[in-house]
Amino acid sequence: MAATNIGMMDGAYFVGRSEILAWINSTLQLNLSKVEEVAAPGAVQCQLMDAVHPGMVPMHKVNFDAKSEYEMIQNYKVLQDVFNKLKITKHIEVSKLVKGRPLDNLEFMQWMKRYCDSVNGSTLKNYNALERRDSCKGGKEVNKKVSTLLTSSKTSSTNARTNSLQPNKKNDTSSANAMQKTSKLATTAEVDTYDEQITEMKLFVDSLEKERDYYYAKLRDIEILCQSPDVEHLPIVQTIQGILYSTYNNGSVMEEAQLMISQKEQLSLSPILENSAEQVKQESQKRKNISSPESDMLFSSAASQKQRLSDISEFQHCESPLTNF
């Protein structure tokens, strides 16, 4: 389905924690207060898939009382089997989810809400969450807690209405009780505020850790590439390794790298000049090689002509035997 591979910039990933919790509690008739409490064990995700795809999830294998990582992983195995049956390609990062990291759990639950909304149009009709949860391990205990909370909330609301209708007989006592209740409410509000701030800080730390892990992976790839035997002896690779292994605020390494780059740029022009000088030298050598045989031939020709003239003159000046008679 289209929702199985939604991008990180999709509107689903901008849904707040309060909305996610309210949606889960209303859909599954629960009373959970933290996203990581919801997502880490993996049982809630299994029941959400059971709600949108009735009969696809073997609820008797789901453990709502999962506390150890091993028990949580078993729930995620059930969820992964359901994904495979439905051909959902969403990757479940089990190792991160079972750690209870707020950001990872929030993102996964945001995806779950987006998927469930895309299947059922934001409404789940005729789904009895309590009855389906009874067949799970620890499901009955969860249902008892929810029922107790619902009963206590109804009782408190009923008592509040009854007390409001009765006349106040003891003004001093009632005012003291009102002050105590007000102080308790203020304390509870402060605790909620601190919890909110702590959760926000955890989310911020998780995002920083994700960014750190991303850049560390990139640097590790560069380090492995620089250690390859084919390139590790190159000066530029040694310079990169120097930057990777340099201590904090060591500016000399960067200065050396920039100096080497500038020298490389200057040296890149020298082959052109060397080639030009080599071409001139080769041309002059060719001319020398061509002219040398011709000059030798002219020199030998001139020498032979001189020898002939000398022989003729000697012959003319020599005395002939006939002149003696």
Side-chain angles (χ1 to χ4, degrees), residues 17 20-25 28 30-46 48 64 75-76 97 100 105 108-109 112:
R17 290 179 299 106
I20 293 290
L21 287 171
W23 169 70
I24 294 171
N25 289 331
L28 303 182
L30 292 170
N31 190 29
L32 302 172
S33 58
K34 294 182 180 180
V35 173
E36 52 269 30
E37 179 185 355
V38 173
V44 169
Q45 293 93 316
C46 292
L48 286 171
F64 267 87
N75 285 336
Y76 283 108
L97 293 174
N105 285 278
F108 190 70
M109 294 312 302
M112 286 291 299

Side-chain angles (χ1 to χ4, degrees), residues 172-188:
D172 295 337
T173 305
S174 62
S175 62
N177 292 334
M179 291 179 64
Q180 289 179 356
K181 290 180 180 180
T182 304
S183 62
K184 288 181 180 180
L185 290 174
T187 304
T188 305

Side-chain angles (χ1 to χ4, degrees), residues 25-95:
N25 289 331
S26 63
T27 303
L28 303 182
Q29 300 179 33
L30 292 170
N31 190 29
L32 302 172
S33 58
K34 294 182 180 180
V35 173
E36 52 269 30
E37 179 185 355
V38 173
V44 169
Q45 293 93 316
C46 292
Q47 190 169 11
L48 286 171
M49 294 302 295
D50 181 67
V52 296
H53 297 288
M56 291 296 294
V57 182
M59 292 298 289
H60 64 280
K61 294 183 179 181
V62 179
N63 185 2
F64 267 87
D65 194 34
K67 292 182 174 62
S68 67
E69 289 190 6
Y70 174 78
E71 293 173 332
M72 296 177 186
I73 290 172
Q74 301 309 309
N75 285 336
Y76 283 108
K77 285 183 179 180
V78 175
L79 183 64
Q80 185 64 65
D81 290 340
V82 175
F83 278 16
N84 293 338
K85 291 178 184 178
L86 297 172
K87 296 181 179 181
I88 298 174
T89 58
K90 170 68 175 175
H91 176 63
I92 304 175
E93 296 183 349
V94 179
S95 60

Side-chain angles (χ1 to χ4, degrees), residues 67-231:
K67 292 182 174 62
S68 67
E69 289 190 6
Y70 174 78
E71 293 173 332
M72 296 177 186
I73 290 172
Q74 301 309 309
N75 285 336
Y76 283 108
K77 285 183 179 180
V78 175
L79 183 64
Q80 185 64 65
D81 290 340
V82 175
F83 278 16
N84 293 338
K85 291 178 184 178
L86 297 172
K87 296 181 179 181
I88 298 174
T89 58
K90 170 68 175 175
H91 176 63
I92 304 175
E93 296 183 349
V94 179
S95 60
K96 293 182 179 180
L97 293 174
V98 296
K99 298 294 183 183
R101 297 175 60 175
L103 184 61
D104 294 316
N105 285 278
L106 176 61
E107 288 179 356
F108 190 70
M109 294 312 302
Q110 287 170 334
W111 180 89
M112 286 291 299
K113 185 178 187 306
R114 175 70 173 83
Y115 177 79
C116 294
D117 290 347
S118 67
V119 174
N120 287 310
S122 304
T123 57
L124 294 174
K125 297 180 179 179
N126 301 324
Y127 181 72
N128 192 332
L130 297 175
E131 182 181 348
R132 291 293 293 165
R133 201 158 46 238
D134 275 339
S135 60
C136 302
K137 182 180 179 180
K140 292 182 179 180
E141 288 75 9
V142 174
N143 289 342
K144 288 179 181 178
K145 290 180 182 179
V146 173
S147 300
T148 302
L149 289 172
L150 291 175
T151 303
S152 62
S153 62
K154 288 180 179 178
T155 303
S156 61
S157 62
T158 303
N159 291 335
R161 290 178 182 176
T162 303
N163 292 332
S164 64
L165 294 174
Q166 292 178 353
N168 294 327
K169 295 181 179 179
K170 297 181 180 179
N171 295 330
D172 295 337
T173 305
S174 62
S175 62
N177 292 334
M179 291 179 64
Q180 289 179 356
K181 290 180 180 180
T182 304
S183 62
K184 288 181 180 180
L185 290 174
T187 304
T188 305
E190 289 178 358
V191 171
D192 292 340
T193 302
Y194 289 138
D195 286 340
E196 185 81 14
Q197 292 175 355
I198 291 171
T199 304
E200 293 296 333
M201 290 177 68
K202 286 181 178 179
L203 292 173
F204 180 68
V205 170
D206 283 347
S207 64
L208 290 178
E209 288 179 352
K210 271 194 169 184
E211 187 175 1
R212 178 203 62 190
D213 295 342
Y214 172 80
Y215 287 113
Y216 176 80
K218 294 298 180 184
L219 291 173
R220 178 58 181 156
D221 292 340
I222 295 172
E223 182 184 29
I224 293 173
L225 181 62
C226 291
Q227 292 173 351
S228 175
D230 297 333
V231 299

Side-chain angles (χ1 to χ4, degrees), residues 295-310:
S295 61
D296 291 342
M297 291 176 63
L298 292 174
F299 179 76
S300 60
S301 176
S304 61
Q305 288 179 359
K306 288 181 181 179
Q307 184 65 33
R308 288 175 185 174
L309 292 174
S310 176

